[in-house]
Amino acid sequence: MTSVQGTDVDIPTEDGIADAYLAHPADGAPRPAVLVFQDAFGLRPQLRSMADRLAEAGYTVLVPNVFYRHGRAPVFDLPEFIDPGARPEIFEKIMPVMQALTPELAMRDAGVYLRWLAERPEVADGPVALTGYCMGARLSLLTAGTYPDRVAAAAGFHGGRLATDTPDSPHLVAEHITAELYFGHADNDHSLPPEQIERLEAALTEAGVRHRCEVYEGAPHGFTQADTAAYHGEGDERHWAALLDLLKRTF
């Protein structure tokens, strides 16, 4: 098993300082980079653990606090085990912060994260890979379409609102994407109903994007997050297999 070094880092942006977690093999040698976009609960020990697992596989991994405009992580006061069903007030605090992160702001930040990675000695030359969870799947798709020359692969898991009927829907960037994509959808996800799954698939196919979209039967929205009530072990391991396979093909 590869020894991993994890460090908290600060990334200057136009709107302040984005705190982030950087993980990489401890030898410090340049490795392909993976940019991880958080779920709605934000940068916390669970996401640091996921970054470490990717670093153990031989990658340099950055997990930014995309809510940095509202404070350093943890932005929200979360219990060690997150059960929104038992504490519905959690989303009362999270939703306004999510809504404040417009696609324009998120993509401006994504450009900063990509440039920052390109300048790091721990990162190999060339394009990076992306993965995102929940709202992060949306950011992964948008980033792949906004910075096609910087992204070789992009994944998203239990993403929501990926193909809406709004003018800023993420699926509308499909025509610009050059990366290979993979999406692992949650089963019976109210944030990504069947019509959106079909719309996303159609947009990617029409644009000629190399992609694979799968619905994980029995896996609820949030299935990769072991510190939440939504965790689904079988779905999580399937996600790791798919993600690592995508990265292996890409790099």
Side-chain angles (χ1 to χ4, degrees), residues 60-163:
T60 293
V61 187
L62 180 69
V63 192
N65 166 24
V66 302
F67 294 152
Y68 70 87
R69 293 176 180 84
H70 301 269
R72 299 181 69 86
V75 176
F76 310 108
D77 181 18
L78 299 171
E80 288 187 14
F81 182 76
I82 305 168
D83 184 358
R87 291 187 56 185
E89 73 276 7
I90 290 176
F91 274 113
E92 292 177 6
K93 298 176 180 178
I94 291 175
M95 289 306 295
V97 176
M98 286 181 60
Q99 292 166 355
L101 185 65
T102 64
E104 180 182 5
L105 289 177
M107 290 305 96
R108 193 166 77 197
D109 290 342
V112 172
Y113 305 145
L114 291 171
R115 288 192 294 273
W116 188 87
L117 281 169
E119 296 171 356
R120 295 292 300 193
E122 307 91 345
V123 175
D125 292 339
V128 309
L130 316 170
T131 187
Y133 303 89
C134 179
M135 59 166 279
R138 194 162 64 249
L139 299 182
S140 182
L141 178 55
L142 283 169
T143 303
T146 304
Y147 300 98
D149 59 328
R150 292 290 298 124
V151 179
F157 298 90
H158 48 83
R161 298 181 58 78
L162 296 177

